[in-house]
Amino acid sequence: MQFKTIFEPFRVKMVEPIRMTTESERNEFLKKAHYNPFLLNSDQVLIDLLTDSGTSAMSSRQWAAMMEGDESYAGARSWTRFEHAVRHVTGMPHILPTHQGRAAERILYSHLGGPGKVFFSNTHFDTTRANIEFSGSEAVDLPCLESADRESPFPFKGNMDTERLAKEVETRGPANVAAVVLTVTNNSGGGQPVSMANARAVATICHRFHIPLVLDMCRIAENAYFVHQHEPEFESKSYLEIAHEMCSLADACVMSAKKDALVNMGGFLTLRDEKLTHELTNLLIITEGFTTYGGLAGRDLEAIAVGLEEGFEPDYLRYRARSTAYLGENIRAKGVPIIYPVGGHAVYVDAGALYPHIPPHEYPGQALVCELYRLGGVRAVEIGSAMFGKYDAEGQLIPAAHELVRLAIPRRVYTQSHIDYVSEVFDAVLANRHNTHGFKITFEQPFLRHFTAHFEPLG
Ligand code: F0G
């Protein structure tokens, strides 16, 4: 018998209380936070869907492993365990630990990048883009055509447009292309998976033009789940084998372990090329730490080593994908426009379609994150023109391609009743849809402005 209930494949061993709040309290909190949920305190939030990054609940096995942490400066036992675990997944010879994903990005992209260079990606994540642009390079997104259709049932809307990639490389000249970054799953492109067929086609182009292929593998276990589901060649392969095969296509991998490695802090960079490794090791030691800890405690290395195993467990991955889809499908059935099918780690709401009366320069996504918080204490993140908008020479906003809001689901943290509550909050959001207004920005920084920007409500 196939039961409908999504069974969380774990028991709760430790609890963290959630302090209840009222709508009028939340109105005050939001005002004090300048209408930017990043500026709220976490104890003002009931359900925190801001990110799936570093928010996982660790397992009893991970906590036990942490007690084994070897805090030696060099050559710690914990480093050896970490190195084995990372090599087991990636198959890469050279492994550089970093304190989180963006540190790996900074080390790699500041070296490969620089003025006059270009990077191509299925969609650059915000820290990826910021590191590339900070080096003076250009970051160009080449998402597949199917990704433009919110409702297209195509299962791999995270793919890269390989036809355009080949053309762009030829027009710009391969020597000017610093790297191609394939992000799995495609976080800024709706958390959609990338097929093995697409990864292979991207790798073929990169090899033909001698361009390094970087795999951003922070959600590679979730991506492997979708490859297993939808690419018949892989239905009898394990999730780990699928991930391993995808890594085998790349010249380098970056990973924020805060996602599929189920830890609260950590990351790494893996490389095939020995010479490049030597060059990057200098930067690692100067900015992160010695080669066998890279900004992490021995106990962190232990937790990652165990998390990298648990993140690929079939029961866990099945629950992970089904529980994320459960939220997406429930709110979609109420009439909330979402990117469909639902990806691995989050549900992406199309705030532009939800609020057609709010133009991009009034930030419809910001309006939705404020509504979700105000009405239900749910914290989500805008992934639209507040995050990715730019200004032209006249200071006019160049809007982002989409006005999205991401409801990212922390791993192994919330139960089905928490998620049912979020679904109910959307009833309130829909009821107030036509009275919802936009926002203007009153303070911003030149890079990654969404983290610290201040907003004011319009109307
Ligand atoms: N690459 C991708 C695809 C990411 O999603 C992230 C982080 C990073 C790199 C950077 O990793 O945070 O460890 O430095 N994403 C988080 C998010 C912040 O909310 O999606 P980091």
Side-chain angles (χ1 to χ4, degrees):
M1 167 120 187
Q2 185 71 36
F3 292 100
K4 274 208 320 286
T5 306
I6 297 171
F7 188 89
E8 286 101 359
F10 47 80
R11 293 188 297 187
V12 178
K13 200 163 195 161
M14 193 187 281
V15 294
E16 189 179 2
I18 298 174
R19 192 179 81 83
M20 303 309 284
T21 54
T22 63
E23 193 175 321
S24 69
E25 282 174 325
R26 291 192 296 266
N27 278 325
E28 277 309 302
F29 297 148
L30 195 58
K31 199 169 158 199
K32 284 209 182 96
H34 304 281
Y35 300 92
N36 183 350
F38 275 106
L39 303 178
L40 290 166
N41 293 335
S42 64
D43 59 7
Q44 297 167 336
V45 175
L46 295 184
I47 306 281
D48 206 344
L49 308 184
L50 189 65
T51 180
D52 64 319
S53 179
T55 52
S56 299
M58 292 211 296
S59 65
S60 48
R61 243 187 92 209
Q62 282 177 297
W63 281 107
M66 285 183 80
M67 298 304 287
E68 297 277 340
D70 173 358
E71 305 302 343
S72 306
Y73 192 94
R77 272 191 317 276
S78 304
W79 156 250
T80 310
R81 282 194 199 118
F82 170 89
E83 196 188 17
H84 282 160
V86 174
R87 190 161 296 129
H88 190 57
V89 179
T90 64
M92 292 248 177
H94 306 293
I95 294 163
L96 279 58
T98 59
H99 81 278
Q100 62 182 90
R102 69 197 68 182
E105 296 183 317
R106 176 177 49 78
I107 290 170
L108 183 62
Y109 302 146
S110 65
H111 185 85
L112 298 177
K117 296 260 174 81
V118 59
F119 288 73
F120 296 113
S121 176
N122 44 346
T123 313
H124 291 86
F125 179 66
D126 59 356
T127 60
T128 316
R129 174 175 289 280
N131 271 295
I132 288 169
E133 292 178 350
F134 195 68
S135 85
S137 293
E138 193 187 344
V140 177
D141 293 337
L142 301 174
C144 68
L145 296 175
E146 292 88 346
S147 69
D149 178 358
R150 198 181 67 217
E151 288 282 325
S152 150
F154 184 60
F156 293 108
K157 289 202 266 190
N159 283 356
M160 188 181 278
D161 183 339
T162 47
E163 233 171 81
R164 264 193 75 199
L165 174 63
K167 272 199 204 123
E168 287 277 350
V169 169
E170 285 188 356
T171 6
R172 294 188 182 241
N176 300 318
V177 184
V180 171
V181 182
L182 193 62
T183 300
V184 301
T185 57
N186 190 357
N187 187 12
S188 299
Q192 297 288 304
V194 174
S195 70
M196 190 70 80
N198 187 253
R200 284 175 181 156
V202 171
T204 304
I205 295 169
C206 288
H207 295 162
R208 191 190 324 146
F209 293 107
H210 304 289
I211 297 167
L213 172 57
V214 182
L215 191 69
D216 182 331
M217 55 174 282
C218 65
R219 298 182 180 87
I220 198 166
E222 290 168 5
N223 198 80
Y225 175 85
F226 292 101
V227 168
H228 184 273
Q229 288 288 101
H230 299 293
E231 288 188 278
E233 181 189 341
F234 294 96
E235 65 191 13
S236 60
K237 291 254 169 93
S238 73
Y239 300 122
L240 185 65
E241 285 169 327
I242 294 169
H244 198 78
E245 180 157 346
M246 204 168 259
C247 292
S248 76
L249 301 169
D251 300 292
C253 298
V254 287
M255 178 157 186
S256 165
K258 299 167 75 173
K259 283 81 170 175
D260 277 357
L262 297 163
V263 292
N264 307 119
M265 191 49 74
F268 57 80
L269 164 62
T270 70
L271 300 153
R272 244 177 245 298
D273 187 84
E274 195 170 343
K275 185 164 163 279
L276 181 61
T277 305
H278 287 315
E279 286 160 358
L280 298 185
T281 299
N282 280 329
L283 203 50
L284 175 77
I285 296 174
I286 294 168
T287 60
E288 287 289 287
F290 186 61
T291 53
T292 63
Y293 74 87
L296 294 166
R299 52 182 171 273
D300 295 329
L301 297 167
E302 295 280 351
I304 295 170
V306 176
L308 273 177
E309 279 176 35
E310 292 182 348
F312 285 99
E313 276 171 11
D315 287 347
Y316 159 73
L317 270 181
R318 209 172 303 123
Y319 140 79
R320 174 72 178 153
R322 286 195 60 210
S323 58
T324 306
Y326 173 79
L327 172 61
E329 280 155 18
N330 277 359
I331 62 172
R332 183 171 180 252
K334 296 177 197 280
V336 176
I338 64 161
I339 295 184
Y340 190 79
V342 179
H345 71 295
V347 175
Y348 290 70
V349 179
D350 186 341
L354 180 68
Y355 299 128
H357 58 285
I358 306 178
H361 66 272
E362 293 181 7
Y363 305 105
Q366 202 61 29
L368 177 56
V369 294
C370 289
E371 283 288 277
L372 284 167
Y373 178 71
R374 195 178 66 76
L375 294 166
V378 175
R379 177 154 73 166
V381 66
E382 194 263 14
I383 302 199
S385 293
M387 185 181 273
F388 286 125
K390 303 241 153 158
Y391 296 106
D392 65 16
E394 276 80 56
Q396 294 295 310
L397 181 82
I398 309 167
H402 308 282
E403 302 298 337
L404 301 174
V405 163
R406 185 185 72 172
L407 309 164
I409 319 287
R411 293 169 181 78
R412 307 191 291 206
V413 171
Y414 292 116
T415 61
Q416 189 169 334
S417 55
H418 288 121
I419 297 301
D420 285 337
Y421 169 83
V422 175
S423 212
E424 246 184 288
V425 173
F426 269 95
D427 292 330
V429 167
L430 285 169
N432 195 41
R433 186 176 191 170
H434 302 291
N435 301 322
T436 304
H437 49 69
F439 285 81
K440 69 173 180 191
I441 294 183
T442 56
F443 165 79
E444 62 185 294
Q445 301 274 15
F447 283 95
L448 300 173
R449 66 173 179 173
H450 56 286
F451 285 131
T452 51
H454 293 178
F455 296 85
E456 247 174 44
L458 296 165

